[in-house]
């Protein structure tokens, strides 16, 4: 297939059709009728968050290549591109393929990829799309080049720099230079620049210390780019930045793009800390199923809400006690007028882990379900996405 093909039976369209068959009966009904637990996205709020980030970046040096691992929705990704995103960041090969089936382009896999089948799929995808992938060692770069050669394509690569996360990436300027020189000699790779993620800064809850740690991370990151260019190795892309520190990273001269993604949906981990006025677009609908003494129990447990960040009940000031597999347990006495059968909304603690639990979003506008969108691909699997556009 070629870029822009609208082949009706591609895996994405088959998944959409299945989701509509399974869940589309709720379209047109009041949101309170949705069986719980259920994943809800407030369309107006999500679109306002997208517009707010796009407007903010108009006055900053960096562009936006948002990370879609948060929402795993081609519908939201398309809206981000329409609002001005220069491309899309993904966590997995399968996310990249799903976006390609949706007709989207300039796809950056912000992880190193090692399994030979996944490398092959990336190389084949690069025949019709601009595909970029992170690398941090020579052997992996050689494998990517070999696969691209076999597929008759060229892969873009960005050297991943460990700027303090203590995860993947080269640890020094010297390592980056040595890897860049090897990449330049590989026929089927195109060195685009460097990538880094100052995610460790998002774990710093003191605002002043966060600024200090973010600045140190970007100092190290940009020194790598400067060193490469001083040796005549072009480094046009310097891609970094998550949602917690988006404003600091986007304003830093030398950073060309940020990968923030959670701003679209928001959650409690980000919502308490992220500047810019972004609001909660994502909730999980739940029903009160028991009122034990001084406790309120809902039908959304940790298999429905995920982990991290501390889920809360929207508009209800009660404290979470714990989440079991199928029970969410809150401290609430009789003064909380929420009898069995009450319909509530939970704000997730950490949205990416919540979204990954569900087949679909119920898209809500003015308290009415207006559409159902697949979460695609969800989980670590590939949903059958071996065939590529």
């Amino acid at each position: 297939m070629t870029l822009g093909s609208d082949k009706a039976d591609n895996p994405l369209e088959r998944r959409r059709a299945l989701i509509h068959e399974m869940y589309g009966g709720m379209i047109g009904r009041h949101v309170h009728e949705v069986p719980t637990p259920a994943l809800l996205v407030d369309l107006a709020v999500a679109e306002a968050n997208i517009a707010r980030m796009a407007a903010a970046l108009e006055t900053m040096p960096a562009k936006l290549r948002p990370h879609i691992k948060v929402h795993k929705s081609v519908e939201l990704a398309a809206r981000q591109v329409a609002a001005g995103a220069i491309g899309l960041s993904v966590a997995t090969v399968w996310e990249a393929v799903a976006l390609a089936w949706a007709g989207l382009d300039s796809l950056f896999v912000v992880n190193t990829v090692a399994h030979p089948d996944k490398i092959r799929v990336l190389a084949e995808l690069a025949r019709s799309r601009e595909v970029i992938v992170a690398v941090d060692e020579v052997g992996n770069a050689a494998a990517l080049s070999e696969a691209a050669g076999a597929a008759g394509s060229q892969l873009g690569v960005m050297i991943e720099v460990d700027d303090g996360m203590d995860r993947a990436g080269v640890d020094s300027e010297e390592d980056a230079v040595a890897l860049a020189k090897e990449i330049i000699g590989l026929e089927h790779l195109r060195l685009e620049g460097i990538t880094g993620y100052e995610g460790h800064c998002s774990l710093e809850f003191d605002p002043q210390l966060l600024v200090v740690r973010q600045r140190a991370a970007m100092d190290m990151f940009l020194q790598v780019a400067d060193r490469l260019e001083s040796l005549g190795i072009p480094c046009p892309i310097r891609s970094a930045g998550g949602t917690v520190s988006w404003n600091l990273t986007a304003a830093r001269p030398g950073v060309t793009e940020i990968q923030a993604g959670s701003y679209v949906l928001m959650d409690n981990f980000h919502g308490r800390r992220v500047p810019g006025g972004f609001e909660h677009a994502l909730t999980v609908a739940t029903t009160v199923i028991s009122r034990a003494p001084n406790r309120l129990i809902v039908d959304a447990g940790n298999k429905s809400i995920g982990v991290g960040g501390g889920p809360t009940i929207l508009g209800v000031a009660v404290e979470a006690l714990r989440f079991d597999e199928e029970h969410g347990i809150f401290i609430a006495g009789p003064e909380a007028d929420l009898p069995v059968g009450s319909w509530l909304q939970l704000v997730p603690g950490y949205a990416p882990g919540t979204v990954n639990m569900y087949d679909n979003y119920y898209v809500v506008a003015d308290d009415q379900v207006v559409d159902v969108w697949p979460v695609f691909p969800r989980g670590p699997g590939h949903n059958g996405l071996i065939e590529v556009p």
Side-chain angles (χ1 to χ4, degrees):
M1 286 185 64
T2 59
L3 181 61
S5 172
D6 58 355
K7 183 179 177 184
D9 64 344
N10 73 52
L12 177 60
E13 293 307 318
R14 292 197 296 269
R15 182 68 173 173
R16 279 175 168 159
L18 178 61
I19 290 299
H20 273 262
E21 179 183 343
M22 296 172 65
Y23 303 105
M26 293 306 304
I27 296 174
R29 298 172 69 175
H30 195 280
V31 67
H32 288 188
E33 298 180 64
V34 173
T36 61
L39 193 69
L40 310 180
V41 60
D42 186 311
L43 183 59
V45 175
E47 291 181 336
N49 287 344
I50 291 170
R52 190 170 287 115
M53 180 64 85
L57 286 172
E58 287 180 358
T59 64
M60 293 185 171
K63 305 297 183 183
L64 178 65
R65 188 189 296 270
H67 212 314
I68 67 94
K69 71 180 178 68
V70 180
H71 54 67
K72 285 180 171 281
S73 165
V74 296
E75 288 82 3
L76 288 172
R79 283 166 167 78
Q80 290 173 295
V81 171
I86 60 170
L88 296 160
S89 299
V90 301
T92 70
V93 172
W94 316 123
E95 289 172 357
V97 173
L99 294 178
W101 277 119
L104 298 167
D105 202 357
S106 194
L107 310 172
F108 176 26
V109 182
V110 194
N111 284 323
T112 51
V113 177
H115 192 281
D117 280 348
K118 292 162 73 173
I119 290 175
R120 174 184 56 80
V121 170
L122 270 186
E124 292 174 356
L125 187 60
R127 287 198 295 254
S128 61
R129 299 294 192 279
E130 179 188 22
V131 177
I132 307 169
V133 61
V135 295
D136 68 1
E137 60 110 30
V138 174
N140 183 230
L144 290 167
S145 181
E146 182 179 358
S153 67
Q154 187 178 57
L155 281 167
V157 294
M158 283 202 260
I159 295 173
E160 184 168 1
V161 176
D162 183 359
D163 56 14
M165 187 73 173
D166 292 334
R167 203 165 61 180
V170 298
D171 293 318
S172 68
E173 294 177 30
E174 290 72 22
D175 289 344
V177 169
L179 179 55
K181 289 179 177 177
E182 294 289 343
I183 290 171
I184 291 170
L186 293 171
E187 181 181 359
H188 302 288
L189 298 187
R190 181 181 66 255
L191 180 59
E192 299 279 13
I194 62 173
T195 183
Y197 175 46
E198 64 279 18
H200 58 293
C201 300
S202 68
L203 303 177
E204 177 54 71
F205 286 80
D206 182 311
Q208 293 180 325
L209 289 178
L210 188 153
V211 170
V212 171
R213 296 186 73 182
Q214 187 275 344
R215 183 181 298 122
M218 288 300 96
D219 285 347
M220 182 270 183
F221 179 70
L222 293 172
Q223 283 168 8
V224 171
D226 290 344
R227 177 73 178 279
L228 290 172
E229 296 208 325
S230 73
L231 297 172
I233 302 171
C235 190
I237 300 178
R238 295 93 176 269
S239 182
T243 294
V244 169
S245 56
W246 76 268
N247 58 320
L248 301 174
T249 304
R252 178 67 183 261
V255 174
T256 65
E257 63 183 45
I258 63 168
Q259 303 160 14
S262 290
Y263 72 93
V264 177
L265 297 179
M266 297 304 290
D267 52 35
N268 282 334
F269 176 76
H270 293 91
R272 300 185 183 105
R273 311 170 61 209
V274 175
F278 304 107
E279 299 180 358
H280 293 296
L282 182 78
T283 57
V284 171
T286 190
T287 302
V288 178
I289 58 173
S290 179
R291 287 303 316 263
N294 298 315
R295 294 196 303 280
L296 181 153
I297 297 94
V298 300
D299 64 354
N302 56 33
K303 285 186 176 179
S304 304
I305 196 68
V307 295
T312 55
I313 300 177
L314 187 66
V316 179
V318 294
E319 181 182 351
L321 180 63
R322 72 175 188 270
F323 285 82
D324 297 337
E325 290 183 8
E326 303 292 352
H327 299 78
I329 306 164
F330 293 82
I331 300 170
E335 71 280 357
D337 185 19
L338 294 168
V340 170
S342 297
W343 187 93
L344 300 170
Q345 290 172 269
L346 299 180
V347 178
Y350 189 66
T354 302
V355 169
N356 206 49
M357 301 278 188
Y358 291 86
D359 291 335
N360 70 289
Y361 293 95
Y362 290 97
V363 184
V364 179
D366 297 324
D367 291 330
Q368 186 177 57
V369 178
V370 296
D371 206 349
V372 288
W373 291 345
V375 176
F376 188 71
R378 57 173 295 236
H382 51 69
N383 295 96
L385 291 176
I386 299 299
E387 181 186 3
V388 299

